Amino acid sequence: MGRKRRAWFPGAKYHITSRGNRKSTLFYDDEDRMKYLSFLQETMVRFPFTLHAFCLMTNHTHLQIKTSDTSPTIIMSHLNTKFAKYFNKKYDFTGHVFEKRYGAELLDSLDYEFDVSKYIHLNPLKGGLVVALEDYPWSSYHAYVNREVTQLVDTKHLLSFFPAPASKRYEEYIKTPQVDLFLLNNSKVIMIKRKEENPCVQK
């Protein structure tokens, strides 16, 4: 039986995960991480999409994206193939680098977008890689909280819902467990009631 086709339409938003084959390591050093991000930016130029958040863990990656005119299947095939060729050449490996199929969760509501953003940025902390989010450089957390200038991540969409200072309010949201959100939308206040932690955990 063939694989079920994933839902896609121009403008669709996703939480995309890619994991090393048999949960093996994807990034042995900072050069590997920098290469991945350079391939990510190259892919974005070739197949335009908006990156709202990312995190590179040891054996898997998280991307929160909004597509344009290209499906995530094409985007991820190009990105993962580029990195796999680099990885196998550098370490003299053969075979699959990633699991055969990436994970893709369609983000069909604003509260899901905020849940995923929080989950992605908390990943290094929950994975035991750091004791403070500020100590982890391989995510988009600093772009949101410290307003670091980057051509890779678009923070405007999510930050636009927070009152000033938006970056500080976003930081408070990330660091406060199970907090309800009161956001601004076209000058109106909307409430997003928090749910349980996002279940899409990669180990």
Side-chain angles (χ1 to χ4, degrees), residues 24-91:
S24 59
T25 296
L26 289 174
F27 307 107
Y28 285 104
D29 56 29
D30 288 352
E31 181 186 37
D32 295 342
R33 297 177 181 89
M34 291 298 296
K35 272 291 184 182
Y36 183 89
L37 293 179
S38 70
F39 291 141
L40 179 59
Q41 188 159 26
E42 176 188 325
T43 303
M44 190 183 301
V45 171
R46 182 166 181 178
F47 305 106
F49 63 91
T50 302
L51 180 66
H52 288 303
F54 76 88
C55 184
L56 308 186
M57 298 292 284
T58 303
N59 69 351
H60 66 277
T61 65
H62 293 271
L63 305 176
Q64 183 174 354
I65 73 169
K66 178 182 178 181
T67 61
S68 181
D69 298 318
T70 306
S71 76
T73 299
I74 296 174
I75 292 169
M76 295 310 299
S77 176
H78 181 80
L79 172 60
N80 286 356
T81 298
K82 294 281 288 188
F83 184 79
K85 288 181 178 179
Y86 153 81
F87 187 87
N88 279 344
K89 182 178 180 180
K90 177 179 177 180
Y91 296 106

Side-chain angles (χ1 to χ4, degrees), residues 143-154:
Y144 278 88
V145 173
N146 299 325
R147 305 306 294 267
E148 289 185 354
V149 178
T150 173
Q151 295 181 337
L152 195 62
V153 183
D154 182 349

